[in-house]
Amino acid sequence: TFSSKELNKNNVKSGSFPSVVFNGSTSEIFVANDDKFNFNSKDDFTISFWVNVNAQGRFFDKNYLISKSTTQTFIPSITTTKTGTPQKINVSGALQPQELDAGPRHPFEIYVEDSGADNEPHLFFTRANDNATRLISASFTTGSTLQHVTCRYSNSEMKIFINGVASGTSGSDNLGITQNNANLYIGNKGGKSNFL
């Protein structure tokens, strides 16, 4: 759904801005796989956005904000018969998009979840190759106030900024290949994953 949100800066309202409201499970914006979002270890990048997360209760599930990690769209080719003649395109499944698991690799996932250690919400920024995952987190305030989030990967270092304050620095990230064929999801993580 669409609504307006007040942007608060130092407890002073600075205006009402259009926003998209996600329900956390079935709503999303997605962009089909695009190679320009396939950041590997030598590719520096920054993801920046305004967000507020309303968490219900003390323990809550992952609230995915943006990710390129779990689901890819695949369009199978037109099937052929045993004699090699093409079948009609109205055959069930021919040229119809299907969602598949994109595998464990991902160039980025950004989500909010209870940290477990202190029972407080944290913002998580992760990257993964086929064998390992790098994860950093920062304390995060849930509620009705918009916050500015920036997740940066630069010179093999992952860093989170919440409202301009740096937090959650990782050490050297030598993951190598993290690219995948996943769609880019905003407000969700997609529907196909065995790697939760």
Side-chain angles (χ1 to χ4, degrees), residues 102 119 153:
N119 297 323
Y153 178 81

Side-chain angles (χ1 to χ4, degrees), residues 100-120:
L100 301 173
D101 188 324
R105 274 192 257 167
H106 61 268
F108 58 88
E109 280 186 341
I110 302 169
Y111 58 91
V112 175
E113 183 181 37
D114 187 320
S115 70
D118 58 9
N119 297 323
E120 295 293 329

